Amino acid sequence: MRNKEMLLIPGPTPVVDEIYDALSSETYAHTDPRFVKVFKNSLDQTKKLFNTDGEVFVVAGSGTLAMEMAIINTVAPGEKLLVISHGYFGDRFIPLAKAFGIQVETIQAEWGQHVRKEVVEEKLASGDFKAVTVTHVDTSTGIMANLDELVPAVKKAGALFILDGVCAAAAIEEDMQKTYGDPSYTIDVVLTGSQKAIGVPPGLAIVAFGPRALAAREAIADVHGYYTDIKNWLPIMKDPGKYYATPPVNMIYAFNKGMELVMAEGLNERYRRHAALGKAVRAGLMVYGMKPLAPEAIAAPTLSCVLYPEGVNDVEFRKRLAERGMVIAGALASLAGKAFRIGHMGNATEDMFVKALQIVGETLNEMGHEANIDKAVAEFTKIYHAR
């Protein structure tokens, strides 16, 4: 990679040369048949990623825009939305929905813990909820939601299941035709952004709507949005040669290449690689006395929130890593200063994390904290190659 630093935050993630090359290709007109072919290919690959028999939407914007598109096209003002939150980004659905006059109720887990399905079932029994949002991996905590439990709980209650896959798509299975105990128990909406496990620079909002979610949009007379109304985008997603709003041509080039790389690796192999990488990174860091916030059974393959050993200064530690060319993220809210967040997804490689563990160990030693680098690297390597 031509990257000068190891960008190991929860996103954006490292970008490989093939994607940079695609991004820097000559800009064609947005109706040029050559561009239309690339756009159509990227949409076809996105449908394969989510295995949807509905429709996908790829537009200029961020994951937050994708969240808005998912909500306003399925839940009308005055209807009820249940937010299941495992952290900061799960909570983001609350003000977003309220901004559009949607009634919001919330189940919030203690940071580092799971929402239990019994609590969800009890809550859903108490009210007529149109939809439920679940963040597959919360970027603030590194907690991975248990879809095997949550999808049936939500679908039994007759609500739409909206999955925030921003920090999961292309690293963890999000199959919209997979059934969870009953043929009708499937995911209705998945949303994500380009800059996480897909490994493309930030700039694209990506949303997949299944048949029930598309029907929900049809049942809403007017949504409180124009750019975010999927009805305005649907003709373009079916025929990218049509015009509604100018697409980000070069970002579509990059996204198409990123999706080609995802599919070339193979989804099942990609999911196995991410699962092994997450476990291995956490195991290596634990050798240094660092403790992941999430118990391993519910820890995400894509990023980890890691508590510092006693006496490590957060700002100094991350500054020293950055001086060595390794960038990680601070923790959020009550964990700020007590933990850091490290991404291990997308185009990140084994060699990167061997180097990362060496840099972390050297930095800890410099700061007066004993760190056995050889042991940490050996533990990482053993677990990564056991997949």
Side-chain angles (χ1 to χ4, degrees), residues 282-297:
R282 287 186 289 271
L285 292 172
M286 287 173 69
V287 171
Y288 297 146
M290 296 173 164
K291 182 181 178 183
L293 176 69
E296 190 57 45

Side-chain angles (χ1 to χ4, degrees), residues 9 43 50 58 66 91 93 120 122 187 242 274 291 316 337:
I9 61 174
L43 294 171
F50 298 120
V58 177
D91 290 349
F93 278 107
V120 175
E122 182 179 351
I187 298 166
K242 294 182 177 179
H274 278 85
K291 182 181 178 183
E316 181 185 358

